[in-house]
Every structure is written in C-alpha cells, then in structure tokens.
Amino acid sequence: MEPDAEEISAQTEAKGRATLGAIAHRLSAIKFLQLRLSLLAERLGDLTVVAIKREVETGAGFLWGTVAFGGGCAAYFQLPREPWPAAFPLLCLALFAGFCKSGRAQFPRACLAGAALVAAGLSIAQIQTLLTDTPSLRRAVTVDIRGLVTKVEQRPRGRVRYTLRVIEISGSRTRRSGMEGLELVRVSARSGAVPITVGQGIEGRARLSPTPGPAFPGAYDFSFFTWFDGIGASGFFLGSPRRGESSPATAAIDIGISINQLRQHIAFLIHDALPDQSGALATALIVGDRSGIDETTVEALRQAGLAHILAISGLHMALVVLTVMFITRGVIAAMPAVALNVPGKKWAGVAGLFSASGYLLVSGASISTQRAYIMVVVMLVAVLLDRRALTMRNVAMAAVIILLLSPHAVLMPGFQMSFAAVAALVACYDVVSRRKDARPRKRHYGGVRGGIIRFVRRDLLGLALTSLVAGLATALFAAYHFYRIAPFGLLANVLAMPLVTFAVMPLALLSTLLMPFGLEGGVLTMMAIPLQSVVSIAEIVTGMQPSGGTGALSGPVLLFGTMALVFLTVMRTGLKLLAVPFIIMAAISAKLLDRPDMIIAEGARQVGLFTQSNQMILLRPNADRFTTGIWKMAYAAKPAKNTVPDTSQSEQNGRGQGFTCDLHGCSAVLKGMTIVVVKSTAHLFEDCRMADILIIPYAVNQPCAALRSGRKLPIIIDSRTLTSTGSQAIWIDEKHESGGDPAKSIRAIPSYGRHRRPWTRHRSWK
C-alpha cells in the first residue's frame, strides 16, 4: 500500500525538523567552540601580561638588553659590506631619542630600547674594527727578520713558536708584499734551536706568509681573529734562529712582556719538576699555556668531553678563589682575638679578590678567564656589600664588559660556550633553589648515614647535574665549531671532576704559592697522580663511546638553538615555553652543510674531490693534514681507498676516482668535467685546451690567451684568486652539457665576499 500525500508530507516535515535540529546543534557547537577559544585566548593573554610583568620585576629587561647588544655586535660581522661609519651611531642616537620621547607606553619603549641597543652593538663593533689597523702580509716572502720575543709556545715534536714584535725586516720583495709597518708576527722554529726566552731578541732568515683563512667557506677564520690580535703574518725560520740584541729598557717597561716572562718562568719550573705530559697539563692549568700537550692527549680529552678542563674558566677561578677564602677564614678563626674584632668573611673576600687578579694575569687572560674574573669580582663585591652573590645579572654584566672591550669576541667559540654554560647553570640552580625553598624541610640524618646521604644528594647529584646542564648547553656550539659532541661526557665529568676539584686545583694553588721559596717540586709530583688519572679516565671513556662526529651544521641551526637557549635561561616564568618554537625550527633546519663536489684550499695548497660514496680524494694525500682533517670532520667524509683512476667507471658515469699526475701537473674527471692542477707552465697551452677547471698555484697573466677565439675557455683559479677569495667550495651541475661553457655548470662559494671589509684589506682584492 503506497503512502498517501499526508504521510509523505509528515515524513518530509519530520526530516526537515531533524535536519534543522542537527544544523542548530552544529551551530551551537561551533559557537561554543568559538567561545571557549576566545576565553582561552583571553586567559592566555592575561597570563602572558602577568608573566611579562613578573619578568620585568625580576630584571629581565637588563638581560634582554644584553642579548640585544650582543646580537648587534654579532650582526655587524655578518653585513655584506662595510657600512658608512656614521650610519649606525646616528641610528642609535635617533632610536634613543625616540625612546626618551615615547611616553609611558611600555611596549613601544621596550621596542625602541631594544633597537637602540642593537644599533649600539653594531656601532661598537664598527668602531673597534675601524680603530684596529693591523698591517698584514699580502703574499708569501722570504726575509731576514729581527725582533723582540713577546711570547713563547711549545709545539708538538719539539718545535717552538715565537710571537715577535718586529724591529727590522729586510728582503728584496718586502715593499711589494705589504711588509711596511708590520708589528707582530708568529714564527716557528725547529727542534734543537737555541732556547730564547720572552724579552730577548731573536733574528734569522724566515719564510713568512699571510695568516691562514678558513679551511672551507663558513669555517673558523684564523685570519679574522689574528687580525684583531694585531698579528700580521705567520711562518717559520729557515734553520735555527739566533739570539739577537734587544732593548732591555723597552722590555722592562712593557707590562705584557713582564707578565709573559713571569708565566714562562713558572712554566719552566713546572717542566723541571714534571717533564712529561703531566707537566704540560699542569702548565695549562696554572699559566694557561696548552701548547706543550700532545695531540693524542688533547684528542682524548675532547672526545670524552673534558677539554674544558684545559681552558681556564669559571671552574678554575672559583676553585682558586674559594681555596684562598677557605684558608683565610681558617687562619682568622684560629686566632680568637682577631676573629672577634674582624669580619672574617669580608677579609676572606678581599683575599679572594687579590688571588683572582693574580690568577687572571698569570693564566694569560683568555676570554673565558676574563668572564670568570669579572663574575668573581662582582660576586666578591656583593659579599663585601652583604648582597646576593650569584645571579644572572652577573653573567650579563660580564658579557657587557667583555663586548665593550672586544666586540669581536662574540664570534669566538670560547665566548659562546663559556657564557652558554654559566648562564644555563645559573638558571638551573635558580630553579632548583626556588623549588627547594618551596618544599617543606626534610629530616636531617646525623652520623655516618647522614654524611653519606648528604654526599650523594649534594655532591654527586650536584656534580652530575652540573655536568649534564653544562654539556647540553655547550653541545650545540661544540657541534657547530668543532663538528663533534661527547656522548659520554656526563660519565667522564662525574668521574674526573672530583679529582680536579679536590686534588688538582688545590695542589696547583699550593705549588704556585711555594714557588717563591723553591718548595714546589714535591707538590707538583703529587699533582701528577690525579692528572694522570684524569687522562686515563678520558682514554677509557673515549674507547667506550662512539666517535661523536656531527659534521658541520648550518647557520640557522646555531641561530635558532641560541635563541632557544636564551629563552630558557633568561625567562623565569612560563614564558620559557617560547623556546619550544625555536627548538622545533632548529631541529627542522638541523642538516649538514651541502657537501661540495670539490674544495680548494687557500693558495691551492690542497685540492679535494668528493665521490658519490662520500669518499674524499686528495691531490696530495700527505700534505696540509690540518686542513684536510677539518674537511673530513666537517663533511663527514671517508678517506679514499686508492687514488688510481678507474677508467671503466669514469667512462660509465663520467666520474673519475682519483688524480693522474706527471711532471707538469695532475688531472681528474669529476661529473664529466676535466680538472687540471698545473705544476709547471711547460704544457700550459695543452692544459688550457683540455681543462674545464684550471687550477694554477701561482700567478700567471692571461694563461689561456693563446686559445682560438670562440673556443670555450676554462674556469681559471690561480693564486691571486684564492688569495682574494680564500678557500673555495665548488658544486658541478649533473645536467651540464659536454663541451659547453663550464662557467654555466658550476656554482662556487668563496670564503670571502666581493666587498672589502677592514679585516680583509690586506688581501689582494680584484
């Protein structure tokens, strides 16, 4: 029976009501969700405002101002060219005037203040750069040199490196090579040379070269930092140098030479008592001279995460100061008449100030030591004024002082790792202390049981937490600058740091105090035992863990990771969660540098080819091992099993497996392109006809001018090009046409840009 019209109408109406009800329900759900989201956003906004107010009340403004100032210093050195000298100072003044006229609105004032501090950092960095006028060598030259020794460093295999203040240089090409006005040079001497100490004259025939640039584009630039240190050339003596005449009056009034003489004398005393590697380690800890430590020991300490022991920083400074303060307070407490009338804590603080100042001078005053010294001075002054000693403000104050004196230090690995570690530790222990104060007091156990519990809770767990936090904070910078991390660094630090804290550093301080009386020998002999134990721990941990190589990381990883660390350490409220987006962005961009197909060292001293299996084939397998070692770590490359060309494979895929060499040069095939490295110009015309990329390790004017017009010209990379651009990384297009213009099929990235910057003016720019 078919439904009638009324039933159909009723069913249709029911369906319509059900549909309208569903739509109304959905609309109400959407409105409810919108309401909840709006309430949540309003709640988050209120919480954010409250958190910002708390951050401002706790002094976060000063900390973020320090970050802005340091960011401005770093940004200056990344500019594509040298700006107009008055641009950033005028911008800083304009922003500061806007800040003063901005009224009471907090957000505009904060933005203007931050921008003004960034401009101030840019201005300070530019001012330091323009005031630094280091005459630098333009090309290698052989000269007769006479100078005053300002620093002596022991090198591997008995070599010695001298830093000289130039008195006289003579040679046939000194004027063309840019030797006029050269002030400081570093020159090495072979083993067996006449011992020459700081403050004495030295002379001899030497081969000098410009200070080396980056091993590859983006790597650590040695010439950049030596330029700011005033060193214009480096090289080696041809034969043994002679002790020359010097001016005793000049050496006597030079404070730097006097301090280096004291440091060298202390180093001699240490080596007399400990002639082996223990003496080299003790010298590094006491006077900051690590040059005598062999590469095997240094590599073991690096891989185990214990290399920070060799860099005099907050740990060493704190141990020395605390030991002096402990002894001072003990002496005062042992005399009741004095203890009742003298504030022992403040007198101990004064003694700590003197000891910290002395240690700063003796240890060489590196960036990490300066940071530690400034922080210790601020802490001890706070103790004298009965104020809280350790806060994040101290860290920021130390950073500001160092950046005002040396803005370029912001790019130093030591600066970055030192401040990252101390900022993370201060922030971590601030959280721990606040949580400890908020918890109810627990029962204290006495006797042996209580001592064991306190030792485990306070000492072992504290040491483990310190090692973990410092290791995590510095891991990013270690991977970026040194292409490695220490997977078992926590274990190595937990095992080794008690020896350093309770044995090595107190004995080092005691031996230094006994040196004026000639009684340091026995104490140094005792110090050798824990030092050898530390090295043994490093070797054991290194043997247990994987290599820890990370390869070179890209710049965005460092930028995002640094910002995440800043948010985690500066913020004290829930705003720490703002670090999460930066961590995610760092993880997304955390990839190795794009490996090139070919890399050429500065001066064409070495050429490396990378195969599809990531093997690195070297033009000279046994030459320039320092540079090739950096290439292997940065690109995670494996050494080639052989350098004999595989003809069959070369014919199949156009990729050769090595260099073919004769008396006049070497050639190789890479992705169908022929690469020729010239040794002599006897067959230069044939090399120009055959090559797609022609590498000439010396200057030749128009080497391929004899080729017929219309014929493809090879890409010519000579010594002048590499002197002006530094090392070059080259990528070859897989789809290039055989016989086509090679310039359209390759992409080259130099270490130095096209524009002149003050620290590269000594190079021969085109």
Side-chain angles (χ1 to χ4, degrees), residues 27 115 209 228 262 318 572 592 644 740:
L27 288 175
S209 304
F228 278 101
L262 175 61
R572 301 186 65 186
L592 299 182
V644 180

Side-chain angles (χ1 to χ4, degrees), residues 401-417:
I401 293 174
I402 291 176
L403 291 177
L404 285 174
L405 297 176
S406 304
H408 73 284
V410 71
L411 301 183
M412 291 184 176
F415 178 93
Q416 297 171 5
M417 297 181 73

Side-chain angles (χ1 to χ4, degrees), residues 574-585:
L575 293 178
K576 288 180 181 289
L577 294 176
L578 293 175
V580 174
F582 291 100
I583 295 175
I584 294 174
M585 288 187 288

Side-chain angles (χ1 to χ4, degrees), residues 575-615:
L575 293 178
K576 288 180 181 289
L577 294 176
L578 293 175
V580 174
F582 291 100
I583 295 175
I584 294 174
M585 288 187 288
I588 293 174
S589 58
K591 62 178 182 179
L592 299 182
L593 292 179
D594 184 15
R595 179 179 56 79
D597 296 302
M598 179 173 68
I599 188 166
I600 308 172
E602 186 176 345
R605 301 184 306 269
Q606 185 65 279
V607 178
L609 307 180
F610 293 94
T611 67
Q612 289 179 340
S613 59
N614 202 27
Q615 288 186 340

Side-chain angles (χ1 to χ4, degrees), residues 481-499:
H481 292 290
F482 308 114
Y483 324 120
R484 70 177 67 190
I485 58 174
F488 290 176
L490 175 61
L491 175 62
N493 279 274
V494 169
L495 295 176
M497 290 313 297
L499 294 174

Side-chain angles (χ1 to χ4, degrees), residues 46 66 83 88 107 188 196 217 221 289 291 315 317 356 368 419 459 478 481 499 529 556 581 655 739 757:
D46 294 339
T66 304
F88 288 119
F107 184 74
S188 299
I196 301 174
D221 190 352
D289 183 5
S291 58
L315 169 69
M317 187 71 71
S368 58
F419 277 96
D459 298 331
H481 292 290
L499 294 174
I529 299 174
R655 179 183 290 273
R757 301 305 300 274

Side-chain angles (χ1 to χ4, degrees), residues 751-763:
S751 293
Y752 301 103
R754 295 172 46 249
H755 302 282
R756 283 176 176 249
R757 301 305 300 274
W759 54 86
T760 54
R761 286 174 180 164
H762 63 282
R763 300 182 181 275

